[in-house]
Amino acid sequence: MKNLGQYKDLAFFLWKYGNSNFIEQAKIQEIASEEWNEQKQISGDVLPSQMVEDLKEMGPAFIKLGQLLSTRPDLLPPPYIRELSNLQDQVEPFSYEQVEEIIQSELGVKISKAFKHFEKKPIASASLGQVHIAELRNGGMVAVKVQRPGIRKRISEDLEVLENTCEFLEKNTDFGKRYGLNKLFQQFKKTLIHELDYLKEAKNLRIFEKNLSEFRRIVIPEPVEDYSTDRVLTMQYLKGRKITEISPLQQLELDGDEIADELFRAYLKQIVIDGFVHADPHPGNIHLMNDNRVAMLDCGMVAHVSPEIRNQYLKLVLNIGDGSAGEAVDKLITMSEELENADEVQFRKSVSSLILDNMNSTASELQTGKIILDIVKVAGKSGYLLPVEMSMIGKALLNLDQVARILSPEFNPNEAIRKHAMELTNKHLWKDLTSLNFFPTVLESKELIEKMPERLNKFLRNVAENKVQFKIDALDEERLMMGFQKVANRITVGLILAALIVGSSLLMQVQTEFTLFGYPGLAMIFFLVAVLGSGMLAFRIFVSDKNE
């Protein structure tokens, strides 16, 4: 069986942190043998920190999966979410000899020819690659990201295992169906494959540089295209310190509130206007430069937000900021996929409680990202499946909240939303007006205006000549009148039959020479006619009418 080891490790992991139903259904315990029994004996209550360590041991794809799961509070309990939120894929660096080999293979020249100086020791080493500082021949300082050897093959194998597992869980478990595990995996797979292509990251850098050019305090490293391939990314080196390394004394010298406000406004623009979001702004990827500008690094992980989600999200954040719980729930239901067990009453009650609690929080307690993730969690419990983009946005904003709190402990995200709401709305409307999607509407409007006089003249002429007719098909009056007529006829027949019966009863008292069956003949004729007529009427009512 291909990738047997990975399937076994994943089976152990699912059993350890979930339950053994999947293992038993998949019949993987037969593969695991004695090792399975040992795992079963030692597993019990496990700490969230153990999950992080287990994911690291399982490989790079599982580390990335852990980072994705940290955005899904509807799938995991809060302690695991908190632990996974701090999951950083820092691993041992690979050798400088391998770095030389990869760069020469990708760029077609030796490191000594391409660079004036190249630091052998990396400044950062992650599961997908590592970063070295270098100096170009023209004196420019650059950061060179080199992809880890053999990582694509390893990722491909891990993704195959995860895909098969997600497909199985979605087909065979209620949990998999409820949360759309296969759809979630496909989003994860797409994001991870993009991260492995450094040319896509170079493109992301250019897009972010263009989209955020109006923010003077935010800097994006510029890629060096001639020194970049899909496995090597060379970009401008922006010297600075991680936000988490800023000392209290340095914080006093900063205009932290203004920087935090600009960062938050930049993210709102990415989400609502651009639909192209830096999805991993954790404190390690946000550096403060010597000139007090903020550098946004590691642009490999991005979220694409559809126009429909952007429209609803803008309304949603405004509703949350204003405490308009009812309208916020309406937007969420519009955005969601309603599952079989959906409980709208419970959903409305839970979201209203979240929003009201948010309104009563102090500035130091507010976390806009946490509110979005809590809403995702509540939606899952209430039978509503929100778009994957909402979880990614929530996670990005949660990281941004942490950065903003370091820069300015009293920064109020809700106040920032209200302050920039009009600006965002105007930009959103202007983008719609200038987008390609707007031009078909303009052409249709032009056609309508051009043909309006001709159509109006024709309508007025028909009115003057009494040729205008209105057809209403809401009620079939002909069929209705036939029904009334049928009822009236049967009432009349019923009265006649009743009169015949009463008349025959009275005639029974009058003795005549004409008799039938020993009774007065006329009375018996009336009685028989009444019986025959009643039978025919009953047949029409109970048999004939049902077939019409």
Side-chain angles (χ1 to χ4, degrees):
M1 183 178 178
K2 187 180 178 183
N3 303 327
L4 178 60
Q6 286 114 311
Y7 281 108
K8 185 183 68 174
D9 292 342
L10 182 56
F12 285 158
F13 182 84
L14 290 172
W15 185 89
K16 186 175 181 180
Y17 296 98
N19 58 63
S20 59
N21 290 339
F22 164 65
I23 306 300
E24 293 169 0
Q25 291 175 20
K27 299 181 179 179
I28 297 178
Q29 70 268 37
E30 298 174 4
I31 300 171
S33 62
E34 294 180 2
E35 190 176 353
W36 161 260
N37 294 325
E38 291 176 7
Q39 178 74 15
K40 191 171 183 179
Q41 290 173 4
I42 64 171
S43 90
D45 294 333
V46 288
L47 297 174
S49 57
Q50 288 179 268
M51 175 183 276
V52 172
E53 295 305 316
D54 288 342
L55 286 169
K56 287 181 178 179
E57 290 180 7
M58 290 171 71
F62 293 92
I63 293 174
K64 294 295 181 180
L65 178 62
Q67 293 174 343
L68 172 66
L69 289 174
S70 70
T71 71
R72 297 304 299 260
D74 53 333
L75 299 178
L76 292 176
Y80 290 88
I81 293 293
R82 285 193 294 270
E83 197 68 36
L84 289 172
S85 296
N86 299 320
L87 176 61
Q88 302 298 321
D89 55 348
Q90 294 181 349
V91 297
E92 287 295 319
F94 52 94
S95 68
Y96 177 71
E97 288 72 24
Q98 290 174 302
V99 171
E100 277 190 308
E101 182 181 345
I102 292 171
I103 289 181
Q104 182 171 338
S105 171
E106 292 295 310
L107 301 185
V109 295
K110 293 183 178 180
I111 285 183
S112 57
K113 296 291 184 181
F115 301 96
K116 185 176 181 180
H117 175 71
F118 194 97
E119 288 287 342
K120 293 184 177 181
K121 184 178 179 181
I123 59 171
S125 178
S127 58
L128 301 186
Q130 62 191 38
V131 181
H132 294 258
I133 301 301
E135 183 181 357
L136 297 175
R137 288 292 173 184
N138 62 8
M141 296 301 296
V142 292
V144 184
K145 183 190 285 191
V146 184
Q147 195 166 103
R148 191 170 287 274
I151 192 63
R152 294 191 176 193
K153 183 175 183 295
R154 177 67 189 274
I155 290 289
S156 177
E157 292 172 352
D158 289 347
L159 287 177
E160 182 182 349
V161 171
L162 284 169
E163 184 167 20
N164 291 335
T165 303
C166 287
E167 286 179 356
F168 177 87
L169 289 173
E170 186 162 329
K171 289 179 181 177
N172 296 280
T173 67
D174 293 335
F175 173 82
K177 293 172 185 174
R178 166 182 274 192
Y179 293 102
L181 289 188
N182 198 41
K183 184 178 179 181
L184 180 65
F185 170 78
Q186 293 303 327
Q187 180 72 23
F188 165 69
K189 179 180 178 180
K190 181 180 178 181
T191 301
L192 186 51
I193 290 175
H194 280 188
E195 277 196 79
L196 286 170
D197 187 347
Y198 287 171
L199 288 177
K200 289 188 182 296
E201 184 172 349
K203 182 179 178 181
N204 294 344
L205 291 171
R206 291 190 292 272
I207 293 173
F208 282 125
E209 185 179 13
K210 177 183 176 183
N211 291 347
L212 303 179
S213 59
E214 65 186 87
F215 301 97
R216 59 185 182 85
R217 291 181 176 270
I218 298 176
V219 186
I220 306 294
E222 183 179 348
V224 183
E225 296 186 9
D226 292 340
Y227 285 73
S228 298
T229 69
D230 61 345
R231 294 181 63 204
V232 175
L233 174 61
T234 304
M235 54 194 151
Q236 178 187 8
Y237 175 56
L238 300 176
K239 188 175 182 180
R241 305 177 303 281
K242 292 182 180 180
I243 290 290
T244 51
E245 297 175 354
I246 300 174
S247 67
L249 186 60
Q250 290 172 317
Q251 284 184 332
L252 294 175
E253 299 175 354
L254 286 175
D255 190 354
D257 194 65
E258 185 176 340
I259 297 175
D261 182 76
E262 185 149 324
L263 268 174
F264 207 83
R265 185 162 60 95
Y267 256 83
L268 288 174
K269 179 181 183 293
Q270 290 177 59
I271 296 167
V272 176
I273 309 301
D274 304 326
F276 191 81
V277 187
H278 186 300
D280 196 24
H282 64 75
N285 285 338
I286 306 293
H287 287 201
L288 185 68
M289 299 172 63
N290 295 333
D291 57 3
N292 289 338
R293 290 187 299 167
V294 172
M296 293 181 63
L297 309 176
D298 196 357
C299 298
M301 186 182 296
V302 297
H304 297 270
V305 186
S306 66
E308 294 78 12
I309 300 298
R310 278 180 255 163
N311 289 336
Q312 297 298 338
Y313 181 80
L314 176 57
K315 299 172 187 175
L316 178 64
V317 293
L318 293 175
N319 290 149
I320 291 175
D322 294 338
S324 304
E327 294 180 13
V329 177
D330 290 339
K331 304 296 181 300
L332 290 167
I333 291 176
T334 301
M335 297 164 68
S336 302
E337 178 184 344
E338 187 173 331
L339 304 177
E340 292 181 3
N341 63 334
D343 186 345
E344 184 176 339
V345 174
Q346 180 61 36
F347 189 35
R348 288 185 178 278
K349 182 179 178 182
S350 301
V351 173
S352 297
S353 178
L354 279 174
I355 292 176
L356 291 176
D357 289 345
N358 169 61
M359 291 296 294
N360 296 327
S361 298
T362 62
S364 59
E365 296 172 339
L366 285 170
Q367 288 186 301
T368 52
K370 184 177 183 299
I371 294 168
I372 297 298
L373 291 177
D374 284 344
I375 287 174
V376 172
K377 179 180 179 180
V378 166
K381 287 184 176 180
S382 303
Y384 290 92
L385 191 61
L386 284 166
V388 177
E389 296 97 321
M390 286 296 292
S391 297
M392 298 187 74
I393 289 171
K395 175 62 175 176
L397 290 178
L398 186 64
N399 284 329
L400 197 64
D401 285 331
Q402 297 174 15
V403 172
R405 211 162 314 289
I406 294 171
L407 292 169
S408 176
E410 294 303 314
F411 176 71
N412 188 331
N414 273 358
E415 184 61 34
I417 289 173
R418 283 191 287 268
K419 183 169 68 173
H420 302 303
M422 185 57 69
E423 176 192 358
L424 284 170
T425 303
N426 290 337
K427 285 184 177 180
H428 185 71
L429 291 173
W430 177 249
K431 183 166 185 177
D432 283 346
L433 289 174
T434 56
S435 69
L436 291 176
N437 293 332
F438 180 70
F439 289 109
T441 305
V442 172
L443 293 174
E444 288 179 6
S445 301
K446 173 179 173 289
E447 183 180 355
L448 175 65
I449 293 171
E450 287 176 345
K451 296 185 177 181
M452 180 63 75
E454 178 187 350
R455 291 173 179 173
L456 185 59
N457 286 335
K458 185 176 180 180
F459 174 74
L460 293 176
R461 185 167 60 251
N462 288 336
V463 169
E465 296 174 0
N466 199 24
K467 292 181 179 179
V468 177
Q469 295 181 347
F470 294 95
K471 293 183 179 180
I472 302 175
D473 296 327
L475 184 65
D476 191 345
E477 62 276 1
E478 183 178 350
R479 186 177 181 83
L480 182 64
M481 291 305 297
M482 287 177 64
F484 282 141
Q485 186 176 4
K486 185 183 291 186
V487 171
N489 290 342
R490 290 183 180 174
I491 292 174
T492 303
V493 172
L495 290 173
I496 293 172
L497 294 174
L500 287 173
I501 292 173
V502 172
S504 64
S505 299
L506 294 173
L507 288 172
M508 283 291 182
Q509 306 301 321
V510 180
Q511 296 296 324
T512 63
E513 295 181 359
F514 173 59
T515 61
L516 284 174
F517 310 112
Y519 295 99
L522 192 57
M524 283 301 295
I525 290 173
F526 286 169
F527 178 73
L528 291 174
V529 170
V531 170
L532 182 61
S534 298
M536 293 177 63
L537 183 60
F539 177 81
R540 290 286 298 174
I541 292 172
F542 294 110
V543 178
S544 182
D545 283 358
K546 286 186 177 180
N547 298 327
E548 291 183 359

